[in-house]
Structures are given as C-alpha cells and as structure tokens.
C-alpha cells in the first residue's frame, strides 16, 4: 500500500464513518429517551435511499404504501382509544396526521411527477414519506410497552426490524438501487483528490450534528428530551409527556436514518436489507460510547468506518467479521471498568 | 391430570414413526431440532432474564465441526486422529462451542443486560460471514457428503430412523433442564431475573450462574447443529444466520419463555407456521422471498404486548394443576457455624464515610456490635441508617473508613464474600422472588451451606443434600411463624409476612451477625411480640443482631445498646434509658424547645 491508496482508504473510511456517526447519535438518543435499543435504525437508511431512487426513476416508492398502511393502523388504534376514553377533541388531530397527511403525500406523488423535479425537492419529498414512519412505529410497537424492561423492548425492536426488512423486500424487490451523486466535482488538495460526494457527506453530517446540538441545548423540546433521558419519572412529574418524548425521539431517529440513506445512496448500492448492517456499524460506534456519550459514540463510529475501509483493502472477504469483532475489545474494556452488581430493570 | 397429559404426549410421540407420513416425520424432526435450541433460550431468557440472538451461530459451530471432521480428506497432522467419526465430531463441536460461549459470556455478562444480546448479534453476523468465506469450510456452497450416524450397527439414513435420536435427546435435555431448575443451583439461576442484589447478599455468585446458563444454552444449540448435520448430510451457512437466531428467540417467547414446555410449543408453532406461510405468501404477493418475516415480526410485537408470557401459560391454565408435594421436607440438620465468644466485639465500624457526590450520607460513623447482644440503630428518616447497612453488608461501597467483622477488614469485600464470613441481612424494601414459594425463597438463604454443583443437579444426584437444605429452610420458616404459608407463592404474602420471610431467609444462612432493616414494620402487635421473643432467643444463642427500627417500644424493650443517627452522624450512643433522656436525641425526634 502506498500513501496514495492509504489516503484514499482514509477518505472512504471517514465518509462511511460520518454516516455511522449520525446513526450512532440516533441510537444513543433513542436509547437514552425510551430505553429502546433501536435495531431498525438501519431500515430507515434503506428506506431513505430506496425511496429517493424510486422517485428519481419515476416509480411509485413502496414507502408510500407503508405510510398509508401505518397511518390507517395508527388512526384505528388511536381513534378506538379516544372513543373509549371519551376524548373526542383529539380525533381531528389523529385523522389529520394519520389519514389526511399520508393521503396528501400520495396525491403529491401521483400528481407532481417527482421524476422531473430538482433533486432537493425529491429529497424533501423522500423525507416527507419516510420520517413520519418513525413516530408511527413508536405508537404501534413501543408505546404500549413503554414501561417494559429493556430486554422486552429489545426483542420488540428486533421484531420490528424483521417486519420492516420483509416489507422492504415486498415493496422494493430484491434489486439494489443507486442514485446519482450530488456533485461530480472533485478537488485536488496537495496531490490528493477529494470527491465532491465525500465533502457533501462529511459536510452534511457535521451540519446535522451541529443542528442537533443546538436543538438539545437551546430549544424547549430538546431540553424536554434531555430531561426525559436523565429521569423519566421526574420529567413526567414536570409535565413532560413520555409519549411525546418517545415519538419525538423516533421522529429524529427516522430523520437521521433517512438522511443517512440519501447521503450514501450515491456511494454504494443499497438493497432492501443493506440498512441492517449499516445500522449495526453505527451500533458498534454507539457501544464504544457506552450507549450514553454522544462525542465518544461519534469517534467510535469514525473508527469503525476507518477499520472497515482498511480491512476491505487487506482482507475484503473478512471485512464484516473484522468490523464486528471490534466490539470485543470494547466490551473487554467496558467489562474491566465495571465492578458493580446492579439490579436489571 | 398434567401427568396424564404428559404420558399421553409421550405415547403419541413414541408411536409417531409408525403412523405418520414422511412429510410429517420430517416436520417433527425439524421441530425437535428447533425445540432443542429454543429450550436453551427458555433457560437463558425466560428463566435467567438474559437474551441471545446468536444461538443459530452455536448451531452452526456444532454442525460445521462435525461436517469438517467427518468429511475432510486432508486434515492437518495434529487433527488426523479425529477424522471420520461423528462422535468425535460431536465432542469437538461441544468443546468448541463451550470455549466460544465462555469467552463471550465472560466478556459481556458482567455488563448491564443489553450488552449480551448486542454482543450475540455481532457474533452471529461475524460467524455467518466466517462460515461463508473460509475455504476449508466450503465457502457459501458448504460441505456435502457428511456420513450418516451409525447406532448399534444401524445406519440412520432416513428421517424416520433419525426421529427417535432427535426426540430422545430433546426429552433428555428437557429432563436435565427441569432437574437443574429444581435444585440449589437452579434457585440461584431463577434469582437472576430481578433478584441479583439479594442473591449476591445470600452468597450466590450471580456472574457464575449467568455463565452457566449461557453455556448450557449454547451446548444445546451445538447438539442440535450436530444432529442437523447428520440428518441433512449437508451444511451451508444459510441456516446459521442471524435471522434464524432471531427465530429461535421468537419460538421461546411465543411458546412461553418461562417454561421448558414453552420451547416445544413455540418450536412447533413457528415451524409449522413458517412452512405454511412460505407456501402461501409468495402466491399472494406474486414474488418469492422470505415474506414470513413480516408476519413473524408483527406477531412477535403483538405477543409481547398482549401476552408477554407466551402461549404456554394460557394453555396450562386450562388444565387443573397437580399440587406438587406439600409435605414439609424432613432431613438431618446441617452443620452449624461456630458462634463467636459471648460479648466479644464481632463488628467494628470505625470512622466510616459514605458520600454520594456532594451528599454525605454517613459522616464519620463509629460503633461496635458484640456477640449475644441486640444493637439498635435508630434515627429519623433519611438519617443514613439503611446506607450504613449497605456499607456493612457490602451491597454498597464505603467511601472512607474501616469496617471489621470477626477481626477481619471487610470494607472492600463483595457482598458475597461478606455473606460467606457469617453475616446475613434483610432489606428495608423487601427483595424476594414473588413467583417462587416461601420455602424456595428461604432455601436461597442456605445457598452457602450446600456444595453440590451443576452437574449433580442436572442428574438429580444431589437429592440428599437438597433434602437437608430444604429441611433447614422449613425449620427456619417454622421458627419465624410462617409454617402455614410454606408452599404459598412469596408474592402473595402480606408485606409484614414478606419481611418475616426475609428474616427466615437470613437465618437459613446460619449467621453469627444478623442485620435487620425495619423487621417490625407492617407487623401487628402480637406478631411483633413473637418477633421480639425470637430475637431474644437468637441473642441468647450467641448471635449478634444489628437492628434498624422505627417502633420505639419495640426497640427500647429489646435493645441492649442504642446508637442514634441524624443527618448521617452519630449523635448519641448508650443504654436505651440513657439515650431516651439525651437532649440531642430529644431535639432530633421532637424538635428543640424554643
């Protein structure tokens, strides 16, 4: 390996690592707020990428059917509950978000010819289709179990992952998709070629992280999420709804996942089940941070990206083995620094 | 009734190959293979509260180990002797699995609960790719030409012939698991879910118990893999991927993860459902693919939301339960510890500080407890009494200072090590296992007085010792006056009785120092009298008792000496009469006279 290749690999690693870092942040966020280990995080990556790809080639994205189906189910569940509790005032809101909004999304796709739109509009349309699925999934799968042990929530998360992968196969088929790059430009920096897409990915990740930071530090909802993460009961006593916090954190996770998918779709071919491995690599990063620290999780994720890119050069067949074995030294280290016997929730 | 159903089930199972078609035999074979893996998951998840998504990878280890050893033509020299025999293949698979499982367990089981499942996901993915990429394992095409099993000179080439091998092994595994759970080690394992702090304080090595069930679950999986390899005579990586590992977990959860029969039920349901869905769904959707995943995923969410304990308990409720043996266990007394010399100092707390961040919960606390006396620790709520208890018993750690017990420093020892030295305690907020009987709960207290391990327990070779442990537990239950509730579920007792149960559990450890945290709270007047009599009797036997209590009549009538705490500090110490006249104490309890 010469320096040129090493730098190329590093560039690759940092690009992927930036994506893993985003996902790691989403995982830490969801875990801190809801105690759900969000295995389906990666599915949003695939959904984001495949939806954009479908829109660009003029196909109706399967995500639309997912959105309509999930919307109808949530509406049914919520309406029944509202009837039982006699809270009729909630009904217009339920119908608006779960029936009218998906209906309008469908109308937009059938009437507006998304294939001819400019790419930023296509991206916005993609996000509008994918992101609402986050809170809907929270409502259907996790909200009824909000007080269950972490272990039960984890099993539910795995079940949701399985269902989503199956639905992904049903709606998008087994073929992979790739989208055109955001920019074909490439820049020379002292003999090193840096592709425009790399800059896009890294730039977008850093921007998104900065926005999230501002959101958590400055806004009311951001602080409410942080409060819930620190002490659920305490936050609830202060009038912060756990349901709201759960839905909001899932919304952010879906947004981060879909954006990550949109960012990597020009770099790698995405299949219906690609998201899982991508999400898990974010996980390895999150575990490095102990599922608690955002900065360490981000550094861990970059490390995963670099490890993956160099191991694909030396031993490409064993790339996945090497990346997932990274978890072991991390666990050893965590295990050596924990001494206490504690009751599991 | 339950027994009759079991016998009927076994008869039907036994006559299967004589009446069923080839298709159904094959289906039952696969159900048996899956149930073996799911059984391990029941032990792990339903009983022990741990979870693994990577069981399929252990199945793979068992299958590939025998496949490689029985088919490879060019084994390396050091391994040449092991070639050709399925039985050596079995031994190798089990050994390999045990090593891997032990390593994984040692790495993850000391961490909080979700690291093990995450570790098993990573491991499940790694091993799948490893199988697919190692040349000597045939890559993604796999290994074919695995020889058939030979048993008593018969080659088991057909599924029909293999049927009995699978089901005998499965039923043996069920038997072993049930034996294990009904034993001293089994009680320790059942305490893992929601009772680790209590179990550690009773001297149970919970980390060891966790590794044991993880190992057993992995070995069951490897055995299933070995059977699979010789039934199928061909292996490739597909059935050992992560999604299959998830399916095994689903089997256990859907069937009923808290019961060994739940594994069989779940394996049967999921296997049949999968067969049916794989036929049906591609026709509906007009495309081929593993669409059963969608149904399984959604079904799983529904089961966990609506019937978290799975289907087995729902079925079991339909059948009247056979009442287990309700005779009070009899047995020889266990050997007793030697009590320390009367009125010698057994506990010496010296200048102990306990800080939680900026809060000083124990500030320079010093006192002693002598053998054969009741020392009472009193003070207003929040004075730091229970924190002091946790420091002494090793449930919490000391920030600064020394604690000696029987002349030995214990302030840096674990709760388990301290229990072993003859100290036992109760908890202010009761910590017992609500679904276990009173008798079994108390028997956990006697954990350290037994020695028989897992292996004798699986074969029930430790019945003599078990009988003595249970008899000891029964004696302590009788002693504290809970004889009538001995076979009730602990969770069904009133709170006062649950506290009394904790005293019996502590006594079953045969301690020389007993720490009681508000034992009289929730008791009626007569019950308090009985408790006081019991404590007096223990005292005359030479036991030292450290008591935290709010009922002043109870304390003053019983205690030999009293230490009063307020805001983490000792404000008075002395005989009950002296303390009651102490101005500082009066101020703490009644407020100052302005």
């Amino acid at each position: 390996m010469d320096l040129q290749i090493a730098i190329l690999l590093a560039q690759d690693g940092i690009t992927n690592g930036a994506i893993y870092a985003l996902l790691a942040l989403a995982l830490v966020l969801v875990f801190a707020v809801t105690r759900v280990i969000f295995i389906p995080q990666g599915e949003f990556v695939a959904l984001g990428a495949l939806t954009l790809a479908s829109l660009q080639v003029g196909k109706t994205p399967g995500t639309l059917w997912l959105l309509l189906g999930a919307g109808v189910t949530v509406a049914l569940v919520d309406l029944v509950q509202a009837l039982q509790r006699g809270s009729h005032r909630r009904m217009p809101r339920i119908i608006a978000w779960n029936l009218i909004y998906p209906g309008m999304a469908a109308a937009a796709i059938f009437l507006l010819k998304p294939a001819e739109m400019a790419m930023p509009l296509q991206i916005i349309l993609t996000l509008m289709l994918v992101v609402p699925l986050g809170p809907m999934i929270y409502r259907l799968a996790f909200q009824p179990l909000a007080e269950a042990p972490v272990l039960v929530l984890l099993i539910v998360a795995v079940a949701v992952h399985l269902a989503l992968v199956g639905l992904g196969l049903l709606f998008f088929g087994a073929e992979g998709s790739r989208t055109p790059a955001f920019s074909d430009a490439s820049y020379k920096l002292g003999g090193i070629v840096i592709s425009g897409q790399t800059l896009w990915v890294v730039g977008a990740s850093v921007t998104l992280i900065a926005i999230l930071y501002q959101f958590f530090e400055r806004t009311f909802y951001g602080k409410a999420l942080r409060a819930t993460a620190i002490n659920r009961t305490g936050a609830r006593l202060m009038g912060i709804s756990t349901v709201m916090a759960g839905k909001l954190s899932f919304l952010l996770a879906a947004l981060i996942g879909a954006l990550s998918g949109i960012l990597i779709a020009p770099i790698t071919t995405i299949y219906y089940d690609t998201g899982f491995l991508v999400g898990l690599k974010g996980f390895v990063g999150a575990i490095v941070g102990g599922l608690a620290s955002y900065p360490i999780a981000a550094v861990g994720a970059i490390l995963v990206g670099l490890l993956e890119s160099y191991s694909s050069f030396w031993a490409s067949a064993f790339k996945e083995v090497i990346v997932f074995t990274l978890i072991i030294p991390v666990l050893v280290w965590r295990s050596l620094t924990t001494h206490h016997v504690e009751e599991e929730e | 009734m339950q027994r009759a159903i079991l016998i009927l089930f076994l008869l039907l199972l036994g006559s299967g190959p004589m009446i069923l078609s080839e298709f159904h035999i094959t289906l039952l074979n696969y159900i048996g293979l899956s149930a073996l893996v799911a059984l391990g998951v029941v032990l792990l998840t339903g009983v022990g509260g741990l979870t693994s998504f990577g069981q399929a990878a252990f199945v793979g280890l068992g299958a590939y180990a025998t496949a490689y050893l029985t088919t490879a033509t060019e084994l390396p020299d050091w391994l040449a002797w092991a070639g050709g025999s399925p039985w050596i293949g079995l031994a190798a698979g089990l050994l390999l699995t045990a090593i891997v499982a032990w390593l994984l367990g040692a790495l993850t089981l000391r961490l909080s609960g979700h690291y093990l499942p995450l570790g098993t996901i990573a491991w499940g993915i790694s091993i799948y790719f490893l199988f697919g990429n190692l040349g000597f394992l045939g890559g993604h095409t796999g290994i074919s030409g695995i020889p058939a099993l030979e048993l008593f000179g018969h080659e088991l080439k057909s599924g029909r012939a293999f049927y009995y091998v699978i089901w005998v092994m499965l039923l043996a595994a069920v038997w072993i698991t049930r034996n294990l759970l009904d034993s001293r080690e089994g009680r320790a394992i059942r305490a893992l879910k929601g009772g680790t702090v209590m179990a550690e304080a009773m001297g149970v090595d919970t980390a060891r118990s966790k590794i044991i069930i993880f190992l057993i679950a992995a070995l069951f999986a490897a055995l299933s893999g070995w059977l699979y390899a010789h039934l199928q005579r061909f292996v490739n990586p597909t059935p050992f991927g992560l999604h299959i590992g998830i399916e095994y977990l689903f089997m256990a959860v859907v069937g009923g993860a808290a019961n060994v029969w739940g594994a069989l039920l779940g394996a049967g349901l999921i296997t049949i459902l999968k067969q049916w869905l794989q036929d049906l769904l591609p026709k509906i959707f007009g495309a081929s693919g593993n669409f059963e995943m969608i149904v399984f995923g959604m079904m799983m969410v529904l089961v966990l939301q609506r019937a978290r304990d799975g289907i087995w308990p729902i079925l079991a409720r339909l059948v009247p339960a056979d009442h287990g043996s309700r005779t009070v266990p009899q047995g020889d007394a266990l050997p007793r510890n030697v009590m320390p010399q009367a009125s010698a100092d057994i506990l010496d707390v010296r200048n102990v500080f306990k800080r939680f961040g900026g809060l000083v919960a124990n500030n320079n606390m010093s006192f002693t407890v002598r053998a054969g006396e009741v020392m009472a620790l009193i003070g207003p709520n929040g004075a730091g009494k229970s924190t002091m208890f946790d420091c002494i018993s090793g449930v919490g750690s000391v920030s600064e200072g020394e604690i000696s017990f029987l002349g030995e420093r214990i302030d840096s020892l674990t709760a388990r090590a301290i229990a072993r030295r003859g100290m036992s305690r109760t908890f202010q907020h009761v910590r017992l296992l609500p679904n276990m009987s009173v008798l079994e709960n108390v028997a956990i207290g006697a954990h350290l007085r037994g020695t028989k391990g897992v292996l004798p327990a699986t074969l029930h070779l430790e019945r003599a010792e078990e009988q003595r442990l249970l008899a000891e537990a029964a004696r302590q239950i009788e002693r504290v006056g809970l004889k009538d509730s001995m076979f009730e579920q602990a969770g069904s007792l009133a709170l006062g009785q649950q506290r009394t149960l904790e005293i019996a559990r502590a006594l079953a450890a045969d301690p020389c120092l007993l720490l009681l945290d508000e034992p009289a709270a929730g008791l009626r007047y007569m019950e308090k009298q009985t408790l006081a009599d019991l404590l007096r009797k223990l005292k005359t036997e030479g036991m030292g008792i450290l008591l935290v209590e709010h009922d002043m009549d109870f304390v003053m009538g019983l205690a030999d000496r009293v230490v009063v705490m307020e805001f983490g500090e000792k404000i008075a110490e002395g005989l009950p009469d002296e303390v009651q006249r102490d101005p500082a104490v009066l101020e703490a309890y009644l407020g100052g006279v302005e």
Side-chain angles (χ1 to χ4, degrees), chain B residues 353-364 567-569:
Chain B
F353 290 81
K354 173 70 183 180
R355 301 185 187 91
F356 296 101
L359 177 83
V360 187
N362 288 152
N363 191 353
N364 202 11
F567 299 125
E569 288 180 63

Side-chain angles (χ1 to χ4, degrees), chain B residues 47 70 150 211 265:
Chain B
V47 180
T70 52
E150 214 173 294
I211 294 230
L265 180 67

Side-chain angles (χ1 to χ4, degrees), chain A residues 5-344:
Chain A
I5 295 177
I7 290 173
L8 204 70
L9 290 175
Q11 204 185 113
D12 241 29
I14 289 173
T15 315
N16 285 330
I19 300 286
Y20 301 151
L22 280 179
L23 296 174
L25 295 188
L27 290 164
V28 173
L29 166 69
V30 169
F31 181 70
V33 175
T34 63
R35 300 175 306 130
V36 173
I37 296 180
F38 198 44
I39 305 282
Q41 178 69 53
E43 268 58 72
F44 285 97
V45 177
L47 283 178
L50 293 172
T51 306
L52 181 63
S54 298
L55 287 177
Q56 286 177 343
V57 296
K59 276 198 281 190
T60 309
T63 328
L64 179 62
W65 311 124
L66 213 55
L67 183 66
L68 288 169
V72 169
T73 321
V74 172
L76 280 177
V77 174
D78 270 348
L79 286 176
V80 168
Q81 201 181 58
L83 271 180
Q84 282 168 347
R85 293 184 185 169
S87 44
H88 300 278
R89 283 193 8 230
R90 282 185 56 220
M91 288 185 173
R93 229 180 117 96
I94 294 170
I95 293 172
W97 275 115
N98 299 300
L99 297 176
I100 298 178
Y101 173 82
M104 279 165 55
I109 284 175
F110 288 119
L111 299 177
L112 292 181
K113 296 207 175 72
E116 292 157 22
M117 287 180 183
M119 194 194 261
L121 289 176
Q122 290 171 335
I123 291 177
I124 289 173
L125 199 54
T126 303
L127 293 178
M128 284 173 61
L129 286 176
V130 178
V131 175
L133 286 172
M136 286 175 178
I137 287 172
Y138 179 79
R139 171 66 193 92
L140 292 175
F142 296 98
Q143 190 180 319
L145 289 165
E147 301 304 320
V150 174
L151 200 70
V152 171
L153 293 173
L154 172 62
I155 299 176
V156 172
V158 169
V160 170
H161 149 71
L162 215 57
L164 281 179
V165 170
L167 289 167
L169 174 64
L170 180 63
F171 288 131
F172 291 103
E175 309 86 41
S177 300
R178 208 167 177 150
T179 57
F182 294 178
S183 111
D184 299 322
S186 61
Y187 307 91
K188 272 218 159 109
L189 204 81
I192 312 156
V193 183
I194 299 175
S195 78
Q197 188 65 28
T198 300
L199 290 179
W200 262 106
V201 171
V202 175
S205 304
V206 171
T207 314
L208 196 56
I209 290 172
I211 294 174
L212 282 174
Y213 179 77
Q214 291 297 318
F215 170 74
F216 284 118
E217 288 294 318
R218 298 283 160 85
T219 68
F220 176 75
Y221 280 101
K223 286 178 184 169
L225 282 190
R226 274 170 55 206
T228 312
I230 293 166
N231 186 335
R232 290 161 58 78
T233 318
R236 197 152 66 186
L237 288 173
M238 294 299 108
I240 298 171
S241 149
T242 337
V243 172
M244 183 282 293
K247 283 186 179 163
L248 183 55
S249 62
F250 270 63
L251 182 109
L252 288 173
L255 174 70
I256 294 172
L259 271 178
S260 309
I262 291 167
L263 286 172
I264 50 163
I267 306 174
T268 34
T269 309
I270 303 283
Y271 300 86
Y272 72 99
D273 61 351
T274 308
F276 183 52
L277 283 186
V278 177
L280 278 184
K281 284 169 194 165
F283 242 117
V284 177
I287 290 177
V288 173
L291 283 176
S293 159
Y294 292 96
I296 302 180
V299 172
I302 302 277
L303 207 69
V304 171
L306 288 172
L307 185 71
E308 178 185 39
S309 124
Y310 284 103
S311 53
S312 67
F313 177 76
W314 274 306
S316 83
F318 297 101
K319 184 179 85 175
E320 313 291 357
V321 181
I322 293 171
V323 169
F324 287 109
T325 321
L326 172 68
I327 210 176
I328 290 187
V330 174
L331 290 174
V332 173
W333 170 64
R334 292 240 148 243
S335 166
L336 289 177
T337 49
T338 315
H339 295 290
H340 225 61
V341 174
E342 270 169 28
E343 211 72 71
E344 302 294 338

